[in-house]
């Protein structure tokens, strides 16, 4: 994707430089406007990437806040569980104390029962003794009866204490039952809270995983933007260097061909990274002929000396004619202006290769007949300008891109 964007930038830049001469300048303005629109779209794409990056950062911040809240809730739940465990421990301690108290009360009850039984045995023994010794103990009867009465009252008192202790034991058992139920309820609450705690932990893990994924996306976007910016800077730097080199070639051609330029026979123009050398027909060819004249070869020799040092440009030779039909005398050799313009361009290519020493890998020929005029065909002067050979230097990459697009 990044390389497609870079190629698009190249393509846009090279299309902008498509203007060849003053005659096509206005037509190229519309192409420049269209390319500006493409540039704006690319800048909008970068802004969209920045907006996505900001959105991801905002989402990351929100996730971090949510995680902090979850951790806070988790700590509150842990604190609540700790308090419940302390409460359960206190209840168990209270239960143990009540059980100990109940055991003591049962022990006291058993001792009272034993004492009461002993008293009854003593009373029974006393009665038997009194019966046997009525005669001897009559004097002591009242004393014994009084003692018995006291003992019976004491028995009644002990019985009341026993009943009270039984009631207290019953109440303690009820309290113990209530405590057991409370402990069970607390344990159920603890289990529920622990379950909630596990669920919260799972949510936190999931959110942390989502956060890590968002971080990766953010880093990928940052790297993509950084790479795009770096590639764009390199492309612009390389493009400016190539334009500067092409300007040197332009200046050399201006100096070398200054006489022909003054006569209006040759025109050298540069628009950004496209250089065009335009020669009128009479410099190179006789009318209706595709054979290069001797004077034309001398001009091409001078041009070749400069161009053979160029190794980063496609050198395209273009043949152009006016709109006058081919005469009958040469119609057999050149049926239309297509054949004539193409033959002239091809002969110039061959001469530049064979005599000028230019690497043929950089050369190409094209015939456009009368379909790319630079002036009107309604006047002789205009037609003379349209009958021309153009040597166009364009970036090799642009030429490759056009071939790939055509395929």
């Amino acid at each position: 994707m990044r390389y497609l964007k870079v190629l698009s930038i190249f393509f846009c830049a090279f299309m902008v430089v498509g203007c060849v001469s003053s005659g096509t300048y206005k037509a190229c303005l519309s192409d420049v406007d269209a390319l500006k629109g493409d540039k704006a779209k690319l800048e909008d794409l970068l802004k969209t990437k920045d907006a996505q990056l900001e959105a991801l950062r905002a989402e990351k911040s929100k996730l971090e806040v949510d995680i902090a809240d979850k951790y806070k809730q988790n700590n509150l739940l842990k604190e609540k569980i700790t308090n419940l465990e302390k409460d359960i421990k206190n209840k168990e301690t209270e239960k143990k104390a009540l059980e100990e108290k109940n055991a003591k009360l049962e022990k006291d009850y058993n001792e009272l029962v034993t004492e009461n039984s002993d008293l009854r045995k003593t009373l029974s023994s006393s009665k038997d003794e009194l019966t046997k010794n009525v005669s001897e103990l009559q004097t002591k009867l009242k004393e014994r009866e009084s003692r018995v009465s006291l003992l019976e009252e004491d028995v009644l008192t002990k019985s009341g204490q026993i009943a009270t202790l039984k009631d207290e034991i019953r109440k303690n058992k009820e309290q113990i039952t209530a405590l057991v139920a409370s402990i069970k309820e607390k344990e159920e609450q603890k289990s529920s809270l622990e379950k909630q705690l596990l669920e919260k932990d799972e949510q936190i893990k999931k959110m942390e995983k989502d956060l890590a994924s968002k971080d990766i996306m953010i880093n990928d976007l940052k790297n993509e933007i950084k790479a795009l910016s770096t590639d764009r800077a390199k492309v612009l730097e390389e493009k400016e260097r190539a334009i500067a080199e092409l300007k040197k070639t332009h200046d050399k051609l201006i100096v070398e061909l200054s006489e022909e330029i003054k006569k209006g026979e040759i025109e050298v123009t540069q628009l950004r990274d496209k250089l065009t050398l335009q020669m009128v027909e009479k410099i190179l060819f006789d009318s209706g002929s595709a054979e290069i004249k001797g004077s034309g070869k001398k001009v091409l020799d001078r041009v070749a000396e400069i161009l053979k040092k160029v190794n980063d440009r496609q050198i395209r030779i273009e043949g152009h004619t006016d709109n006058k039909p081919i005469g009958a005398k040469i119609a057999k050799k050149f049926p239309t202006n297509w054949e004539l313009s193409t033959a002239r361009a091809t002969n110039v290519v061959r001469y530049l290769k064979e005599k000028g020493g230019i690497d043929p890998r950089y050369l190409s020929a094209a015939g456009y007949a009368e379909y790319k005029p630079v002036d009107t065909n309604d006047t002789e002067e205009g037609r003379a300008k349209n009958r021309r050979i153009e040597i166009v230097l364009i970036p090799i990459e642009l030429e490759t891109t056009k071939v790939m697009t055509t395929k």
Side-chain angles (χ1 to χ4, degrees), residues 40 62 114 141 182-183 207 266 279 281 302 352 354 399:
K62 184 178 178 183
T114 302
L141 180 57
S182 177
I183 290 170
M207 293 176 74
I266 292 179
M279 294 181 286
E281 173 193 50
R302 291 152 59 195
L352 291 175
E354 295 171 0
E399 190 67 18

Side-chain angles (χ1 to χ4, degrees), residues 59-74:
E59 188 172 355
K60 175 184 176 184
S61 299
K62 184 178 178 183
L63 287 172
E64 288 174 346
V65 171
D66 290 341
I67 288 173
D69 290 339
K70 296 298 182 182
Y71 274 118
K72 186 175 181 180
Q73 293 177 10
N74 188 23

Side-chain angles (χ1 to χ4, degrees), residues 314-331:
Q314 180 73 29
I315 304 173
R316 187 173 65 212
I317 313 303
E318 299 179 356
H320 300 271
T321 67
D322 57 22
N323 65 348
K324 291 292 183 179
I326 294 294
K329 292 182 179 181
I330 60 172

Side-chain angles (χ1 to χ4, degrees), residues 10 39 75 86 90 169 178 253 281 291 304 318 378 396:
F10 265 109
K39 177 184 177 184
N75 292 333
K86 289 180 180 180
N90 292 333
I169 289 170
L253 289 171
E281 173 193 50
E291 297 298 325
E318 299 179 356
D378 296 333
I396 294 175

Side-chain angles (χ1 to χ4, degrees), residues 102-114:
N102 183 55
K104 187 176 180 303
L105 290 173
E106 288 180 346
K107 182 179 179 181
D108 292 341
Y109 168 77
N110 291 331
E111 289 176 354
L112 288 173
V113 169
T114 302

Side-chain angles (χ1 to χ4, degrees), residues 23 60 63 74 104 149 186 198 202 237 260 300 336:
K60 175 184 176 184
L63 287 172
N74 188 23
K104 187 176 180 303
S149 178
K186 296 296 183 183
L198 289 174
E202 289 297 324
E237 182 180 354
E260 289 82 357
L300 289 178
T336 67

Side-chain angles (χ1 to χ4, degrees), residues 24-39:
T24 57
Y25 179 74
K26 291 183 180 181
C28 292
L29 286 178
S30 60
D31 294 337
V32 171
D33 292 336
L35 292 171
K36 286 181 179 178
D38 293 337
K39 177 184 177 184

Side-chain angles (χ1 to χ4, degrees), residues 73-74 77-78 80-81 84-85 186-205:
Q73 293 177 10
N74 188 23
L77 288 172
K78 289 180 177 179
K80 191 172 182 180
I81 289 172
L84 284 172
E85 289 175 343
K186 296 296 183 183
E187 288 177 345
E188 289 176 353
Q189 291 179 3
K190 176 184 176 183
S191 176
S192 176
L193 289 173
E194 287 175 344
K195 184 178 180 181
Q196 292 179 21
L197 182 60
L198 289 174
E199 291 176 353
K200 297 296 182 182
D201 287 338
E202 289 297 324
Q203 290 177 3
I204 290 172
K205 289 179 181 179

